[in-house]
Amino acid sequence: MEELVYVVKRDLLFSGSPPQGLSTSPGDFLHRCRNHGQFRPRSAVEDDPSFKQIIPYVVLFDAKHILCVRRLSAQSESRLHGLLSLGIGGHMNPAPGEPGFTGLLAANARRELHEELFLDCEPDVTWVAFINDDGRPVGRVHAGLLGLAQVDPARVRVRETRQMRGEFAPYSQLLALRPEFESWSQLVLDHWPGLSRAM
């Protein structure tokens, strides 16, 4: 059976010219996702920029470090192969029994975290921003909801070692590697001091 993914028509998600980059005021974006979202077969929207596939994108961190992963060639999204990433995320699929969009978002974020990582904790995710980057092919058909979660690094390790490598590293070290990151993570790095203070 074909995968169903959560999408919003571009002209319903954005009023006027689509914002580019990272916005730390996600309220209106969340409202539009809730009111106008629908599930469509992934093959029908994967390369259709008239729809935005909504991606929960969760960054794990502690007081001094951020989880960083490198996405390897075994991963399904070929456009991200070899790049560094701060976010753990993926498409939103139906989650029977979850009430409303907030429950759907939380369930899909939780599923992605546990698919990609071994966690002996349940991170408390705070949704702090949305990301839109139409300047790259992968960004033209996706929009991200950025969530932050504080964790103990000792309680987190990569599960899908064929698909990615990961470690917690200081912000200054990651900033020096900025050109090696995929575009959404570059935006998170650019805004990190303000994002982390907000937590």
Side-chain angles (χ1 to χ4, degrees), residues 59-84:
V59 176
L60 302 180
F61 70 104
D62 72 358
K64 296 183 178 180
H65 307 87
I66 310 169
L67 177 63
C68 172
V69 299
R70 186 178 294 276
R71 301 189 178 280
L72 306 177
S73 59
Q75 198 160 63
S76 61
E77 180 49 82
S78 62
R79 293 170 287 195
L80 300 179
H81 288 172
L83 297 176
L84 294 174

PDB file of all heavy atoms in Angstrom, residues 59-84:
ATOM      1  N   VAL A  59      15.451  18.968  16.797  1.00  0.00           N
ATOM      2  CA  VAL A  59      16.857  19.111  17.162  1.00  0.00           C
ATOM      3  C   VAL A  59      17.001  18.766  18.644  1.00  0.00           C
ATOM      4  O   VAL A  59      16.308  19.342  19.496  1.00  0.00           O
ATOM      5  CB  VAL A  59      17.361  20.534  16.887  1.00  0.00           C
ATOM      6  CG1 VAL A  59      18.801  20.702  17.373  1.00  0.00           C
ATOM      7  CG2 VAL A  59      17.256  20.855  15.394  1.00  0.00           C
ATOM      8  N   LEU A  60      17.905  17.830  18.949  1.00  0.00           N
ATOM      9  CA  LEU A  60      18.179  17.420  20.321  1.00  0.00           C
ATOM     10  C   LEU A  60      19.448  18.105  20.808  1.00  0.00           C
ATOM     11  O   LEU A  60      20.449  18.170  20.082  1.00  0.00           O
ATOM     12  CB  LEU A  60      18.351  15.906  20.400  1.00  0.00           C
ATOM     13  CG  LEU A  60      17.172  15.053  19.905  1.00  0.00           C
ATOM     14  CD1 LEU A  60      17.490  13.567  20.052  1.00  0.00           C
ATOM     15  CD2 LEU A  60      15.889  15.394  20.633  1.00  0.00           C
ATOM     16  N   PHE A  61      19.445  18.578  22.044  1.00  0.00           N
ATOM     17  CA  PHE A  61      20.595  19.314  22.551  1.00  0.00           C
ATOM     18  C   PHE A  61      20.642  19.243  24.074  1.00  0.00           C
ATOM     19  O   PHE A  61      19.676  18.850  24.726  1.00  0.00           O
ATOM     20  CB  PHE A  61      20.530  20.775  22.094  1.00  0.00           C
ATOM     21  CG  PHE A  61      19.426  21.582  22.741  1.00  0.00           C
ATOM     22  CD1 PHE A  61      19.716  22.488  23.748  1.00  0.00           C
ATOM     23  CD2 PHE A  61      18.102  21.436  22.344  1.00  0.00           C
ATOM     24  CE1 PHE A  61      18.712  23.232  24.354  1.00  0.00           C
ATOM     25  CE2 PHE A  61      17.095  22.176  22.941  1.00  0.00           C
ATOM     26  CZ  PHE A  61      17.402  23.083  23.951  1.00  0.00           C
ATOM     27  N   ASP A  62      21.814  19.628  24.630  1.00  0.00           N
ATOM     28  CA  ASP A  62      21.913  19.873  26.060  1.00  0.00           C
ATOM     29  C   ASP A  62      22.512  21.260  26.243  1.00  0.00           C
ATOM     30  O   ASP A  62      22.558  22.055  25.299  1.00  0.00           O
ATOM     31  CB  ASP A  62      22.694  18.769  26.777  1.00  0.00           C
ATOM     32  CG  ASP A  62      24.191  18.792  26.496  1.00  0.00           C
ATOM     33  OD1 ASP A  62      24.667  19.642  25.694  1.00  0.00           O
ATOM     34  OD2 ASP A  62      24.906  17.956  27.079  1.00  0.00           O
ATOM     35  N   ALA A  63      22.992  21.581  27.424  1.00  0.00           N
ATOM     36  CA  ALA A  63      23.451  22.939  27.698  1.00  0.00           C
ATOM     37  C   ALA A  63      24.620  23.360  26.812  1.00  0.00           C
ATOM     38  O   ALA A  63      24.780  24.546  26.510  1.00  0.00           O
ATOM     39  CB  ALA A  63      23.852  23.068  29.170  1.00  0.00           C
ATOM     40  N   LYS A  64      25.440  22.408  26.358  1.00  0.00           N
ATOM     41  CA  LYS A  64      26.649  22.771  25.624  1.00  0.00           C
ATOM     42  C   LYS A  64      26.793  22.097  24.268  1.00  0.00           C
ATOM     43  O   LYS A  64      27.717  22.412  23.525  1.00  0.00           O
ATOM     44  CB  LYS A  64      27.887  22.434  26.469  1.00  0.00           C
ATOM     45  CG  LYS A  64      27.979  23.228  27.759  1.00  0.00           C
ATOM     46  CD  LYS A  64      29.265  22.887  28.516  1.00  0.00           C
ATOM     47  CE  LYS A  64      29.383  23.716  29.782  1.00  0.00           C
ATOM     48  NZ  LYS A  64      30.619  23.400  30.541  1.00  0.00           N
ATOM     49  N   HIS A  65      25.904  21.175  23.934  1.00  0.00           N
ATOM     50  CA  HIS A  65      26.084  20.369  22.730  1.00  0.00           C
ATOM     51  C   HIS A  65      24.776  20.229  21.950  1.00  0.00           C
ATOM     52  O   HIS A  65      23.689  20.325  22.525  1.00  0.00           O
ATOM     53  CB  HIS A  65      26.604  18.969  23.079  1.00  0.00           C
ATOM     54  CG  HIS A  65      27.825  18.974  23.929  1.00  0.00           C
ATOM     55  ND1 HIS A  65      27.765  19.023  25.299  1.00  0.00           N
ATOM     56  CD2 HIS A  65      29.141  18.947  23.591  1.00  0.00           C
ATOM     57  CE1 HIS A  65      29.007  19.010  25.785  1.00  0.00           C
ATOM     58  NE2 HIS A  65      29.845  18.984  24.778  1.00  0.00           N
ATOM     59  N   ILE A  66      24.911  19.953  20.643  1.00  0.00           N
ATOM     60  CA  ILE A  66      23.780  19.692  19.768  1.00  0.00           C
ATOM     61  C   ILE A  66      24.042  18.375  19.039  1.00  0.00           C
ATOM     62  O   ILE A  66      25.171  18.127  18.610  1.00  0.00           O
ATOM     63  CB  ILE A  66      23.600  20.809  18.717  1.00  0.00           C
ATOM     64  CG1 ILE A  66      23.616  22.198  19.365  1.00  0.00           C
ATOM     65  CG2 ILE A  66      22.308  20.610  17.927  1.00  0.00           C
ATOM     66  CD1 ILE A  66      23.714  23.337  18.359  1.00  0.00           C
ATOM     67  N   LEU A  67      23.010  17.552  18.888  1.00  0.00           N
ATOM     68  CA  LEU A  67      23.175  16.317  18.126  1.00  0.00           C
ATOM     69  C   LEU A  67      23.339  16.657  16.645  1.00  0.00           C
ATOM     70  O   LEU A  67      22.537  17.385  16.057  1.00  0.00           O
ATOM     71  CB  LEU A  67      21.966  15.401  18.298  1.00  0.00           C
ATOM     72  CG  LEU A  67      22.018  14.097  17.479  1.00  0.00           C
ATOM     73  CD1 LEU A  67      23.186  13.214  17.921  1.00  0.00           C
ATOM     74  CD2 LEU A  67      20.702  13.334  17.586  1.00  0.00           C
ATOM     75  N   CYS A  68      24.396  16.095  16.048  1.00  0.00           N
ATOM     76  CA  CYS A  68      24.681  16.283  14.628  1.00  0.00           C
ATOM     77  C   CYS A  68      24.802  14.910  13.981  1.00  0.00           C
ATOM     78  O   CYS A  68      25.467  14.017  14.523  1.00  0.00           O
ATOM     79  CB  CYS A  68      25.981  17.064  14.463  1.00  0.00           C
ATOM     80  SG  CYS A  68      26.570  17.179  12.767  1.00  0.00           S
ATOM     81  N   VAL A  69      24.151  14.720  12.830  1.00  0.00           N
ATOM     82  CA  VAL A  69      24.240  13.448  12.114  1.00  0.00           C
ATOM     83  C   VAL A  69      24.712  13.695  10.691  1.00  0.00           C
ATOM     84  O   VAL A  69      24.480  14.765  10.120  1.00  0.00           O
ATOM     85  CB  VAL A  69      22.884  12.694  12.100  1.00  0.00           C
ATOM     86  CG1 VAL A  69      22.424  12.373  13.515  1.00  0.00           C
ATOM     87  CG2 VAL A  69      21.813  13.478  11.359  1.00  0.00           C
ATOM     88  N   ARG A  70      25.405  12.718  10.132  1.00  0.00           N
ATOM     89  CA  ARG A  70      25.752  12.748   8.712  1.00  0.00           C
ATOM     90  C   ARG A  70      24.931  11.682   8.013  1.00  0.00           C
ATOM     91  O   ARG A  70      24.954  10.513   8.394  1.00  0.00           O
ATOM     92  CB  ARG A  70      27.249  12.503   8.476  1.00  0.00           C
ATOM     93  CG  ARG A  70      27.615  12.688   6.984  1.00  0.00           C
ATOM     94  CD  ARG A  70      29.091  12.495   6.720  1.00  0.00           C
ATOM     95  NE  ARG A  70      29.947  13.476   7.320  1.00  0.00           N
ATOM     96  CZ  ARG A  70      30.224  14.669   6.788  1.00  0.00           C
ATOM     97  NH1 ARG A  70      29.659  15.036   5.646  1.00  0.00           N
ATOM     98  NH2 ARG A  70      31.048  15.492   7.403  1.00  0.00           N
ATOM     99  N   ARG A  71      24.207  12.095   6.984  1.00  0.00           N
ATOM    100  CA  ARG A  71      23.299  11.195   6.275  1.00  0.00           C
ATOM    101  C   ARG A  71      24.061  10.452   5.176  1.00  0.00           C
ATOM    102  O   ARG A  71      24.653  11.073   4.309  1.00  0.00           O
ATOM    103  CB  ARG A  71      22.105  11.989   5.731  1.00  0.00           C
ATOM    104  CG  ARG A  71      21.360  12.693   6.865  1.00  0.00           C
ATOM    105  CD  ARG A  71      20.064  13.323   6.447  1.00  0.00           C
ATOM    106  NE  ARG A  71      19.387  13.936   7.592  1.00  0.00           N
ATOM    107  CZ  ARG A  71      18.663  13.278   8.487  1.00  0.00           C
ATOM    108  NH1 ARG A  71      18.516  11.968   8.368  1.00  0.00           N
ATOM    109  NH2 ARG A  71      18.090  13.895   9.492  1.00  0.00           N
ATOM    110  N   LEU A  72      24.027   9.121   5.255  1.00  0.00           N
ATOM    111  CA  LEU A  72      24.820   8.277   4.364  1.00  0.00           C
ATOM    112  C   LEU A  72      24.007   7.855   3.143  1.00  0.00           C
ATOM    113  O   LEU A  72      22.797   8.099   3.054  1.00  0.00           O
ATOM    114  CB  LEU A  72      25.314   7.051   5.137  1.00  0.00           C
ATOM    115  CG  LEU A  72      26.082   7.360   6.437  1.00  0.00           C
ATOM    116  CD1 LEU A  72      26.448   6.077   7.155  1.00  0.00           C
ATOM    117  CD2 LEU A  72      27.317   8.203   6.152  1.00  0.00           C
ATOM    118  N   SER A  73      24.667   7.198   2.203  1.00  0.00           N
ATOM    119  CA  SER A  73      24.040   6.880   0.914  1.00  0.00           C
ATOM    120  C   SER A  73      22.941   5.830   1.018  1.00  0.00           C
ATOM    121  O   SER A  73      22.151   5.671   0.089  1.00  0.00           O
ATOM    122  CB  SER A  73      25.099   6.420  -0.097  1.00  0.00           C
ATOM    123  OG  SER A  73      25.771   5.283   0.387  1.00  0.00           O
ATOM    124  N   ALA A  74      22.858   5.113   2.132  1.00  0.00           N
ATOM    125  CA  ALA A  74      21.796   4.118   2.304  1.00  0.00           C
ATOM    126  C   ALA A  74      20.457   4.768   2.629  1.00  0.00           C
ATOM    127  O   ALA A  74      19.416   4.114   2.568  1.00  0.00           O
ATOM    128  CB  ALA A  74      22.167   3.125   3.406  1.00  0.00           C
ATOM    129  N   GLN A  75      20.454   6.049   2.960  1.00  0.00           N
ATOM    130  CA  GLN A  75      19.218   6.729   3.318  1.00  0.00           C
ATOM    131  C   GLN A  75      18.358   6.978   2.074  1.00  0.00           C
ATOM    132  O   GLN A  75      18.874   7.188   0.976  1.00  0.00           O
ATOM    133  CB  GLN A  75      19.547   8.044   4.026  1.00  0.00           C
ATOM    134  CG  GLN A  75      18.376   8.592   4.813  1.00  0.00           C
ATOM    135  CD  GLN A  75      18.831   9.586   5.865  1.00  0.00           C
ATOM    136  OE1 GLN A  75      19.376  10.612   5.524  1.00  0.00           O
ATOM    137  NE2 GLN A  75      18.591   9.279   7.131  1.00  0.00           N
ATOM    138  N   SER A  76      17.036   7.002   2.260  1.00  0.00           N
ATOM    139  CA  SER A  76      16.126   7.045   1.114  1.00  0.00           C
ATOM    140  C   SER A  76      16.136   8.390   0.392  1.00  0.00           C
ATOM    141  O   SER A  76      15.930   8.431  -0.819  1.00  0.00           O
ATOM    142  CB  SER A  76      14.698   6.718   1.565  1.00  0.00           C
ATOM    143  OG  SER A  76      14.249   7.663   2.517  1.00  0.00           O
ATOM    144  N   GLU A  77      16.361   9.498   1.105  1.00  0.00           N
ATOM    145  CA  GLU A  77      16.320  10.816   0.471  1.00  0.00           C
ATOM    146  C   GLU A  77      17.686  11.131  -0.134  1.00  0.00           C
ATOM    147  O   GLU A  77      18.588  11.632   0.517  1.00  0.00           O
ATOM    148  CB  GLU A  77      15.927  11.896   1.491  1.00  0.00           C
ATOM    149  CG  GLU A  77      15.868  13.317   0.927  1.00  0.00           C
ATOM    150  CD  GLU A  77      15.082  13.428  -0.357  1.00  0.00           C
ATOM    151  OE1 GLU A  77      13.850  13.512  -0.303  1.00  0.00           O
ATOM    152  OE2 GLU A  77      15.727  13.435  -1.436  1.00  0.00           O
ATOM    153  N   SER A  78      17.829  10.807  -1.439  1.00  0.00           N
ATOM    154  CA  SER A  78      19.134  10.918  -2.105  1.00  0.00           C
ATOM    155  C   SER A  78      19.660  12.348  -2.140  1.00  0.00           C
ATOM    156  O   SER A  78      20.870  12.570  -2.201  1.00  0.00           O
ATOM    157  CB  SER A  78      19.053  10.364  -3.533  1.00  0.00           C
ATOM    158  OG  SER A  78      18.123  11.113  -4.303  1.00  0.00           O
ATOM    159  N   ARG A  79      18.746  13.336  -2.080  1.00  0.00           N
ATOM    160  CA  ARG A  79      19.175  14.731  -2.152  1.00  0.00           C
ATOM    161  C   ARG A  79      19.929  15.172  -0.903  1.00  0.00           C
ATOM    162  O   ARG A  79      20.535  16.246  -0.892  1.00  0.00           O
ATOM    163  CB  ARG A  79      17.952  15.631  -2.403  1.00  0.00           C
ATOM    164  CG  ARG A  79      17.324  15.421  -3.779  1.00  0.00           C
ATOM    165  CD  ARG A  79      15.991  16.110  -3.932  1.00  0.00           C
ATOM    166  NE  ARG A  79      14.936  15.449  -3.179  1.00  0.00           N
ATOM    167  CZ  ARG A  79      13.633  15.665  -3.349  1.00  0.00           C
ATOM    168  NH1 ARG A  79      13.221  16.523  -4.271  1.00  0.00           N
ATOM    169  NH2 ARG A  79      12.733  15.034  -2.624  1.00  0.00           N
ATOM    170  N   LEU A  80      19.923  14.353   0.154  1.00  0.00           N
ATOM    171  CA  LEU A  80      20.606  14.703   1.396  1.00  0.00           C
ATOM    172  C   LEU A  80      21.845  13.847   1.660  1.00  0.00           C
ATOM    173  O   LEU A  80      22.507  14.017   2.687  1.00  0.00           O
ATOM    174  CB  LEU A  80      19.640  14.585   2.587  1.00  0.00           C
ATOM    175  CG  LEU A  80      18.395  15.477   2.528  1.00  0.00           C
ATOM    176  CD1 LEU A  80      17.523  15.240   3.747  1.00  0.00           C
ATOM    177  CD2 LEU A  80      18.760  16.944   2.413  1.00  0.00           C
ATOM    178  N   HIS A  81      22.174  12.935   0.749  1.00  0.00           N
ATOM    179  CA  HIS A  81      23.298  12.031   0.969  1.00  0.00           C
ATOM    180  C   HIS A  81      24.596  12.797   1.197  1.00  0.00           C
ATOM    181  O   HIS A  81      24.933  13.720   0.455  1.00  0.00           O
ATOM    182  CB  HIS A  81      23.470  11.075  -0.217  1.00  0.00           C
ATOM    183  CG  HIS A  81      22.403  10.032  -0.296  1.00  0.00           C
ATOM    184  ND1 HIS A  81      22.268   9.173  -1.354  1.00  0.00           N
ATOM    185  CD2 HIS A  81      21.397   9.705   0.567  1.00  0.00           C
ATOM    186  CE1 HIS A  81      21.246   8.372  -1.154  1.00  0.00           C
ATOM    187  NE2 HIS A  81      20.693   8.674   0.001  1.00  0.00           N
ATOM    188  N   GLY A  82      25.331  12.393   2.235  1.00  0.00           N
ATOM    189  CA  GLY A  82      26.635  12.962   2.520  1.00  0.00           C
ATOM    190  C   GLY A  82      26.609  14.247   3.305  1.00  0.00           C
ATOM    191  O   GLY A  82      27.657  14.721   3.756  1.00  0.00           O
ATOM    192  N   LEU A  83      25.437  14.833   3.490  1.00  0.00           N
ATOM    193  CA  LEU A  83      25.345  16.109   4.185  1.00  0.00           C
ATOM    194  C   LEU A  83      25.168  15.923   5.690  1.00  0.00           C
ATOM    195  O   LEU A  83      24.639  14.913   6.154  1.00  0.00           O
ATOM    196  CB  LEU A  83      24.171  16.919   3.638  1.00  0.00           C
ATOM    197  CG  LEU A  83      24.254  17.331   2.169  1.00  0.00           C
ATOM    198  CD1 LEU A  83      22.980  18.052   1.745  1.00  0.00           C
ATOM    199  CD2 LEU A  83      25.468  18.217   1.923  1.00  0.00           C
ATOM    200  N   LEU A  84      25.631  16.913   6.441  1.00  0.00           N
ATOM    201  CA  LEU A  84      25.391  16.943   7.877  1.00  0.00           C
ATOM    202  C   LEU A  84      24.007  17.514   8.141  1.00  0.00           C
ATOM    203  O   LEU A  84      23.485  18.313   7.361  1.00  0.00           O
ATOM    204  CB  LEU A  84      26.443  17.812   8.568  1.00  0.00           C
ATOM    205  CG  LEU A  84      27.884  17.317   8.530  1.00  0.00           C
ATOM    206  CD1 LEU A  84      28.811  18.361   9.131  1.00  0.00           C
ATOM    207  CD2 LEU A  84      28.019  15.993   9.262  1.00  0.00           C
TER     208      LEU A  84
END
